[in-house]
mmCIF file of all heavy atoms in Angstrom:
data_model
loop_
_atom_site.group_PDB
_atom_site.id
_atom_site.type_symbol
_atom_site.label_atom_id
_atom_site.label_comp_id
_atom_site.label_asym_id
_atom_site.label_seq_id
_atom_site.Cartn_x
_atom_site.Cartn_y
_atom_site.Cartn_z
ATOM 1 N N ILE F 1371 46.000 -180.515 37.425
ATOM 2 C CA ILE F 1371 45.240 -181.704 36.610
ATOM 3 C C ILE F 1371 44.400 -181.078 35.444
ATOM 4 O O ILE F 1371 43.459 -180.251 35.746
ATOM 5 C CB ILE F 1371 44.260 -182.358 37.513
ATOM 6 C CG1 ILE F 1371 45.100 -182.937 38.724
ATOM 7 C CG2 ILE F 1371 43.520 -183.469 36.891
ATOM 8 C CD1 ILE F 1371 44.248 -183.469 39.889
ATOM 9 N N GLY F 1372 44.846 -181.338 34.199
ATOM 10 C CA GLY F 1372 44.182 -180.824 33.067
ATOM 11 C C GLY F 1372 45.108 -179.915 32.323
ATOM 12 O O GLY F 1372 45.616 -178.977 32.862
ATOM 13 N N ALA F 1373 45.323 -180.195 30.993
ATOM 14 C CA ALA F 1373 46.049 -179.280 30.063
ATOM 15 C C ALA F 1373 45.349 -178.527 29.159
ATOM 16 O O ALA F 1373 45.572 -178.529 27.973
ATOM 17 C CB ALA F 1373 47.232 -180.038 29.453
ATOM 18 N N GLY F 1374 44.150 -177.913 29.609
ATOM 19 C CA GLY F 1374 43.444 -176.936 28.841
ATOM 20 C C GLY F 1374 44.109 -175.676 29.093
ATOM 21 O O GLY F 1374 45.270 -175.548 29.606
ATOM 22 N N ILE F 1375 43.370 -174.515 28.652
ATOM 23 C CA ILE F 1375 44.022 -173.249 28.843
ATOM 24 C C ILE F 1375 44.228 -172.800 30.313
ATOM 25 O O ILE F 1375 45.262 -172.184 30.548
ATOM 26 C CB ILE F 1375 43.187 -172.149 28.075
ATOM 27 C CG1 ILE F 1375 43.860 -170.978 27.967
ATOM 28 C CG2 ILE F 1375 41.909 -171.982 28.631
ATOM 29 C CD1 ILE F 1375 43.595 -169.925 26.882
ATOM 30 N N ALA F 1376 43.244 -173.156 31.178
ATOM 31 C CA ALA F 1376 43.535 -172.930 32.538
ATOM 32 C C ALA F 1376 44.779 -173.601 33.176
ATOM 33 O O ALA F 1376 45.504 -172.922 33.783
ATOM 34 C CB ALA F 1376 42.263 -173.337 33.392
ATOM 35 N N LEU F 1394 49.147 -183.130 34.498
ATOM 36 C CA LEU F 1394 48.580 -184.603 34.219
ATOM 37 C C LEU F 1394 47.319 -184.330 33.215
ATOM 38 O O LEU F 1394 46.336 -183.637 33.587
ATOM 39 C CB LEU F 1394 48.200 -185.345 35.490
ATOM 40 C CG LEU F 1394 49.324 -185.778 36.355
ATOM 41 C CD1 LEU F 1394 48.816 -186.265 37.668
ATOM 42 C CD2 LEU F 1394 50.204 -186.802 35.658
ATOM 43 N N GLU F 1395 47.402 -184.886 32.091
ATOM 44 C CA GLU F 1395 46.352 -184.754 31.134
ATOM 45 C C GLU F 1395 45.860 -186.041 30.612
ATOM 46 O O GLU F 1395 46.658 -186.872 30.097
ATOM 47 C CB GLU F 1395 46.830 -183.887 29.956
ATOM 48 C CG GLU F 1395 45.815 -183.767 28.696
ATOM 49 C CD GLU F 1395 44.519 -183.388 29.019
ATOM 50 O OE1 GLU F 1395 44.261 -182.331 29.544
ATOM 51 O OE2 GLU F 1395 43.637 -184.155 28.603
ATOM 52 N N GLN F 1396 44.528 -186.315 30.629
ATOM 53 C CA GLN F 1396 43.965 -187.628 30.305
ATOM 54 C C GLN F 1396 43.930 -187.877 28.867
ATOM 55 O O GLN F 1396 43.813 -189.028 28.318
ATOM 56 C CB GLN F 1396 42.579 -187.811 30.935
ATOM 57 C CG GLN F 1396 41.507 -186.816 30.450
ATOM 58 C CD GLN F 1396 40.198 -187.023 31.100
ATOM 59 O OE1 GLN F 1396 40.011 -187.895 31.961
ATOM 60 N NE2 GLN F 1396 39.341 -186.171 30.697
ATOM 61 N N ARG F 1397 43.655 -186.780 28.007
ATOM 62 C CA ARG F 1397 43.662 -186.837 26.510
ATOM 63 C C ARG F 1397 44.900 -186.259 25.954
ATOM 64 O O ARG F 1397 46.051 -186.815 25.937
ATOM 65 C CB ARG F 1397 42.357 -186.216 26.137
ATOM 66 C CG ARG F 1397 41.228 -186.868 26.648
ATOM 67 C CD ARG F 1397 39.868 -186.415 26.092
ATOM 68 N NE ARG F 1397 38.799 -186.833 26.921
ATOM 69 C CZ ARG F 1397 38.002 -186.076 27.773
ATOM 70 N NH1 ARG F 1397 38.338 -184.796 27.877
ATOM 71 N NH2 ARG F 1397 37.028 -186.559 28.499
ATOM 72 N N VAL F 1398 44.660 -185.162 25.049
ATOM 73 C CA VAL F 1398 45.785 -184.463 24.501
ATOM 74 C C VAL F 1398 45.699 -183.122 25.174
ATOM 75 O O VAL F 1398 44.714 -182.600 25.608
ATOM 76 C CB VAL F 1398 45.637 -184.488 22.891
ATOM 77 C CG1 VAL F 1398 45.954 -185.769 22.414
ATOM 78 C CG2 VAL F 1398 44.423 -183.800 22.556
ATOM 79 N N GLY F 1401 42.637 -179.083 25.545
ATOM 80 C CA GLY F 1401 41.248 -179.032 26.187
ATOM 81 C C GLY F 1401 40.105 -178.906 25.109
ATOM 82 O O GLY F 1401 40.270 -179.148 23.852
ATOM 83 N N GLN F 1402 38.990 -178.408 25.535
ATOM 84 C CA GLN F 1402 37.835 -178.403 24.744
ATOM 85 C C GLN F 1402 37.726 -177.519 23.666
ATOM 86 O O GLN F 1402 37.023 -177.663 22.610
ATOM 87 C CB GLN F 1402 36.562 -178.089 25.638
ATOM 88 C CG GLN F 1402 36.577 -176.782 26.242
ATOM 89 C CD GLN F 1402 35.479 -176.436 27.150
ATOM 90 O OE1 GLN F 1402 34.403 -176.007 26.694
ATOM 91 N NE2 GLN F 1402 35.546 -176.641 28.510
ATOM 92 N N ILE F 1403 38.774 -176.533 23.457
ATOM 93 C CA ILE F 1403 38.599 -175.549 22.385
ATOM 94 C C ILE F 1403 39.402 -176.006 21.172
ATOM 95 O O ILE F 1403 39.357 -175.504 20.115
ATOM 96 C CB ILE F 1403 39.392 -174.229 22.896
ATOM 97 C CG1 ILE F 1403 39.077 -172.949 21.967
ATOM 98 C CG2 ILE F 1403 40.878 -174.286 23.112
ATOM 99 C CD1 ILE F 1403 37.554 -172.639 21.893
ATOM 100 N N ILE F 1409 38.520 -168.388 16.440
ATOM 101 C CA ILE F 1409 38.208 -167.723 17.777
ATOM 102 C C ILE F 1409 38.267 -166.272 17.574
ATOM 103 O O ILE F 1409 39.199 -165.699 17.108
ATOM 104 C CB ILE F 1409 39.212 -168.206 18.852
ATOM 105 C CG1 ILE F 1409 39.093 -169.704 19.063
ATOM 106 C CG2 ILE F 1409 38.875 -167.421 20.149
ATOM 107 C CD1 ILE F 1409 40.281 -170.289 19.836
ATOM 108 N N ASN F 1411 37.295 -163.875 20.035
ATOM 109 C CA ASN F 1411 37.353 -162.988 21.208
ATOM 110 C C ASN F 1411 38.556 -163.321 22.140
ATOM 111 O O ASN F 1411 38.591 -162.922 23.333
ATOM 112 C CB ASN F 1411 36.116 -163.170 21.977
ATOM 113 C CG ASN F 1411 35.754 -164.572 22.461
ATOM 114 O OD1 ASN F 1411 36.600 -165.519 22.130
ATOM 115 N ND2 ASN F 1411 34.664 -164.938 23.083
ATOM 116 N N GLU F 1441 48.129 -188.943 31.462
ATOM 117 C CA GLU F 1441 47.518 -190.061 32.183
ATOM 118 C C GLU F 1441 46.231 -189.317 32.845
ATOM 119 O O GLU F 1441 46.155 -188.173 33.208
ATOM 120 C CB GLU F 1441 48.336 -190.431 33.465
ATOM 121 C CG GLU F 1441 49.660 -191.080 32.992
ATOM 122 C CD GLU F 1441 50.634 -191.270 34.073
ATOM 123 O OE1 GLU F 1441 50.100 -191.445 35.307
ATOM 124 O OE2 GLU F 1441 51.938 -191.103 33.897
ATOM 125 N N ALA F 1442 45.104 -190.191 33.121
ATOM 126 C CA ALA F 1442 43.925 -189.666 33.732
ATOM 127 C C ALA F 1442 44.077 -189.828 35.250
ATOM 128 O O ALA F 1442 44.459 -190.849 35.685
ATOM 129 C CB ALA F 1442 42.728 -190.475 33.254
ATOM 130 N N VAL F 1443 43.769 -188.776 35.990
ATOM 131 C CA VAL F 1443 43.813 -188.839 37.481
ATOM 132 C C VAL F 1443 42.638 -189.537 37.894
ATOM 133 O O VAL F 1443 41.382 -189.137 37.308
ATOM 134 C CB VAL F 1443 43.917 -187.294 38.039
ATOM 135 C CG1 VAL F 1443 43.737 -187.435 39.641
ATOM 136 C CG2 VAL F 1443 45.204 -186.719 37.645
ATOM 137 N N ALA F 1474 42.043 -178.271 37.193
ATOM 138 C CA ALA F 1474 41.698 -177.574 35.988
ATOM 139 C C ALA F 1474 41.074 -178.537 34.876
ATOM 140 O O ALA F 1474 41.540 -178.523 33.820
ATOM 141 C CB ALA F 1474 43.003 -176.901 35.498
ATOM 142 N N MET F 1475 40.132 -179.269 35.375
ATOM 143 C CA MET F 1475 39.649 -180.354 34.426
ATOM 144 C C MET F 1475 38.503 -179.980 33.594
ATOM 145 O O MET F 1475 38.111 -180.756 32.723
ATOM 146 C CB MET F 1475 38.887 -181.443 35.373
ATOM 147 C CG MET F 1475 39.910 -182.239 36.303
ATOM 148 S SD MET F 1475 40.119 -181.481 37.828
ATOM 149 C CE MET F 1475 38.652 -181.472 38.561
ATOM 150 N N GLY F 1476 38.121 -178.689 33.515
ATOM 151 C CA GLY F 1476 37.170 -178.148 32.498
ATOM 152 C C GLY F 1476 35.903 -178.904 32.685
ATOM 153 O O GLY F 1476 35.335 -179.372 33.739
ATOM 154 N N THR F 1477 35.314 -179.027 31.430
ATOM 155 C CA THR F 1477 33.915 -179.737 31.340
ATOM 156 C C THR F 1477 34.003 -180.701 30.185
ATOM 157 O O THR F 1477 34.827 -180.558 29.198
ATOM 158 C CB THR F 1477 32.832 -178.631 31.004
ATOM 159 O OG1 THR F 1477 33.167 -177.921 29.948
ATOM 160 C CG2 THR F 1477 32.703 -177.759 32.226
ATOM 161 N N ARG F 1556 27.179 -179.143 28.598
ATOM 162 C CA ARG F 1556 28.465 -179.610 29.120
ATOM 163 C C ARG F 1556 28.365 -179.858 30.588
ATOM 164 O O ARG F 1556 27.567 -179.117 31.355
ATOM 165 C CB ARG F 1556 29.651 -178.797 28.762
ATOM 166 C CG ARG F 1556 29.756 -178.612 27.356
ATOM 167 C CD ARG F 1556 31.051 -177.859 26.928
ATOM 168 N NE ARG F 1556 32.230 -178.439 27.304
ATOM 169 C CZ ARG F 1556 32.836 -179.360 26.482
ATOM 170 N NH1 ARG F 1556 32.424 -179.613 25.230
ATOM 171 N NH2 ARG F 1556 34.128 -179.943 26.980
ATOM 172 N N GLU F 1559 34.029 -182.201 34.930
ATOM 173 C CA GLU F 1559 34.667 -183.482 35.047
ATOM 174 C C GLU F 1559 35.302 -183.663 36.456
ATOM 175 O O GLU F 1559 36.493 -183.863 36.755
ATOM 176 C CB GLU F 1559 35.770 -183.761 34.056
ATOM 177 C CG GLU F 1559 35.328 -183.599 32.545
ATOM 178 C CD GLU F 1559 36.350 -184.159 31.531
ATOM 179 O OE1 GLU F 1559 36.583 -185.495 31.776
ATOM 180 O OE2 GLU F 1559 36.723 -183.493 30.646
ATOM 181 N N PHE F 1562 35.545 -187.858 39.956
ATOM 182 C CA PHE F 1562 36.730 -188.646 40.680
ATOM 183 C C PHE F 1562 37.140 -187.984 42.032
ATOM 184 O O PHE F 1562 37.846 -188.513 42.823
ATOM 185 C CB PHE F 1562 37.857 -188.867 39.690
ATOM 186 C CG PHE F 1562 38.648 -187.672 39.516
ATOM 187 C CD1 PHE F 1562 39.759 -187.283 40.307
ATOM 188 C CD2 PHE F 1562 38.336 -186.700 38.585
ATOM 189 C CE1 PHE F 1562 40.584 -186.136 40.028
ATOM 190 C CE2 PHE F 1562 38.973 -185.555 38.362
ATOM 191 C CZ PHE F 1562 40.137 -185.215 39.149
ATOM 192 N N GLY F 1592 39.475 -172.354 35.869
ATOM 193 C CA GLY F 1592 38.792 -172.577 34.624
ATOM 194 C C GLY F 1592 37.369 -173.054 34.711
ATOM 195 O O GLY F 1592 36.599 -172.712 35.772
ATOM 196 N N ASP F 1593 36.833 -173.680 33.681
ATOM 197 C CA ASP F 1593 35.406 -173.990 33.554
ATOM 198 C C ASP F 1593 34.913 -174.935 34.632
ATOM 199 O O ASP F 1593 33.724 -174.974 34.827
ATOM 200 C CB ASP F 1593 35.249 -174.726 32.278
ATOM 201 C CG ASP F 1593 35.058 -173.648 31.160
ATOM 202 O OD1 ASP F 1593 35.579 -172.470 31.263
ATOM 203 O OD2 ASP F 1593 34.613 -173.963 30.030
ATOM 204 N N ARG F 1600 32.032 -168.743 31.305
ATOM 205 C CA ARG F 1600 33.144 -169.876 31.125
ATOM 206 C C ARG F 1600 33.755 -169.533 29.767
ATOM 207 O O ARG F 1600 33.075 -169.849 28.663
ATOM 208 C CB ARG F 1600 32.450 -171.266 31.139
ATOM 209 C CG ARG F 1600 32.177 -171.574 32.553
ATOM 210 C CD ARG F 1600 31.780 -172.983 32.881
ATOM 211 N NE ARG F 1600 31.744 -173.200 34.299
ATOM 212 C CZ ARG F 1600 30.662 -172.910 35.193
ATOM 213 N NH1 ARG F 1600 29.560 -172.572 34.546
ATOM 214 N NH2 ARG F 1600 30.593 -173.099 36.418
ATOM 215 N N GLN F 1601 34.877 -168.955 29.627
ATOM 216 C CA GLN F 1601 35.427 -168.584 28.392
ATOM 217 C C GLN F 1601 36.987 -168.609 28.518
ATOM 218 O O GLN F 1601 37.412 -168.946 29.551
ATOM 219 C CB GLN F 1601 35.109 -167.096 28.038
ATOM 220 C CG GLN F 1601 33.774 -166.780 27.749
ATOM 221 C CD GLN F 1601 33.408 -167.210 26.206
ATOM 222 O OE1 GLN F 1601 33.872 -166.243 25.322
ATOM 223 N NE2 GLN F 1601 32.973 -168.265 25.954
ATOM 224 N N LEU F 1602 37.643 -168.501 27.340
ATOM 225 C CA LEU F 1602 39.192 -168.755 27.264
ATOM 226 C C LEU F 1602 39.760 -167.766 28.265
ATOM 227 O O LEU F 1602 40.772 -167.986 29.049
ATOM 228 C CB LEU F 1602 39.665 -168.589 25.887
ATOM 229 C CG LEU F 1602 39.315 -169.649 24.927
ATOM 230 C CD1 LEU F 1602 39.448 -169.283 23.572
ATOM 231 C CD2 LEU F 1602 40.003 -170.969 25.291
ATOM 232 N N ALA F 1605 39.188 -168.462 31.906
ATOM 233 C CA ALA F 1605 40.040 -169.705 32.283
ATOM 234 C C ALA F 1605 41.417 -169.340 32.504
ATOM 235 O O ALA F 1605 42.043 -169.824 33.434
ATOM 236 C CB ALA F 1605 39.737 -170.729 31.280
HETATM 237 C C1 FAD W 1185 32.918 -175.745 20.546
HETATM 238 C C2 FAD W 1185 33.400 -174.683 21.519
HETATM 239 C C3 FAD W 1185 33.784 -173.455 21.185
HETATM 240 C C4 FAD W 1185 34.093 -172.448 22.013
HETATM 241 N N1 FAD W 1185 34.440 -171.287 21.481
HETATM 242 C C5 FAD W 1185 34.930 -170.275 22.493
HETATM 243 C C6 FAD W 1185 35.301 -169.017 21.999
HETATM 244 O O1 FAD W 1185 35.254 -168.725 20.699
HETATM 245 N N2 FAD W 1185 35.790 -168.081 22.815
HETATM 246 C C7 FAD W 1185 36.064 -168.450 24.171
HETATM 247 O O2 FAD W 1185 36.454 -167.558 24.881
HETATM 248 N N3 FAD W 1185 35.645 -169.612 24.586
HETATM 249 C C8 FAD W 1185 35.119 -170.622 23.747
HETATM 250 N N4 FAD W 1185 34.732 -171.806 24.313
HETATM 251 C C9 FAD W 1185 34.879 -172.050 25.832
HETATM 252 C C10 FAD W 1185 36.237 -172.443 26.094
HETATM 253 O O3 FAD W 1185 36.799 -173.441 25.255
HETATM 254 C C11 FAD W 1185 36.505 -172.838 27.590
HETATM 255 O O4 FAD W 1185 36.004 -171.876 28.370
HETATM 256 C C12 FAD W 1185 37.869 -173.242 27.966
HETATM 257 O O5 FAD W 1185 38.567 -174.016 27.003
HETATM 258 C C13 FAD W 1185 37.936 -173.761 29.342
HETATM 259 O O6 FAD W 1185 39.269 -174.225 29.605
HETATM 260 P P1 FAD W 1185 39.733 -174.993 30.757
HETATM 261 O O7 FAD W 1185 41.132 -175.147 30.703
HETATM 262 O O8 FAD W 1185 38.984 -174.643 32.100
HETATM 263 O O9 FAD W 1185 38.997 -176.533 30.521
HETATM 264 P P2 FAD W 1185 39.143 -177.532 29.219
HETATM 265 O O10 FAD W 1185 39.497 -176.792 27.954
HETATM 266 O O11 FAD W 1185 37.875 -178.310 29.251
HETATM 267 O O12 FAD W 1185 40.441 -178.394 29.654
HETATM 268 C C14 FAD W 1185 40.391 -179.336 30.818
HETATM 269 C C15 FAD W 1185 41.325 -180.457 30.519
HETATM 270 O O13 FAD W 1185 41.420 -181.372 31.618
HETATM 271 C C16 FAD W 1185 41.453 -182.682 31.128
HETATM 272 N N5 FAD W 1185 41.025 -183.477 32.240
HETATM 273 C C17 FAD W 1185 39.757 -183.533 32.782
HETATM 274 N N6 FAD W 1185 39.783 -184.442 33.668
HETATM 275 C C18 FAD W 1185 40.951 -185.062 33.821
HETATM 276 C C19 FAD W 1185 41.482 -186.079 34.675
HETATM 277 N N7 FAD W 1185 40.767 -186.672 35.648
HETATM 278 N N8 FAD W 1185 42.804 -186.275 34.574
HETATM 279 C C20 FAD W 1185 43.648 -185.646 33.685
HETATM 280 N N9 FAD W 1185 43.181 -184.705 32.793
HETATM 281 C C21 FAD W 1185 41.845 -184.470 32.920
HETATM 282 C C22 FAD W 1185 40.668 -182.687 29.892
HETATM 283 O O14 FAD W 1185 40.888 -183.791 29.100
HETATM 284 C C23 FAD W 1185 40.925 -181.357 29.217
HETATM 285 O O15 FAD W 1185 42.075 -181.466 28.384
HETATM 286 C C24 FAD W 1185 34.319 -172.827 23.437
HETATM 287 C C25 FAD W 1185 34.065 -174.078 23.827
HETATM 288 C C26 FAD W 1185 33.553 -174.945 22.940
HETATM 289 C C27 FAD W 1185 33.111 -176.378 23.408
#
Side-chain angles (χ1 to χ4, degrees):
I1371 305 173
I1375 193 163
L1394 292 171
E1395 167 56 53
Q1396 64 182 358
R1397 301 188 189 103
V1398 291
Q1402 60 184 274
I1403 198 66
I1409 301 166
N1411 56 1
E1441 299 170 33
V1443 175
M1475 293 88 63
T1477 57
R1556 302 185 65 88
E1559 300 200 56
F1562 70 95
D1593 280 17
R1600 293 193 170 86
Q1601 287 278 281
L1602 292 164

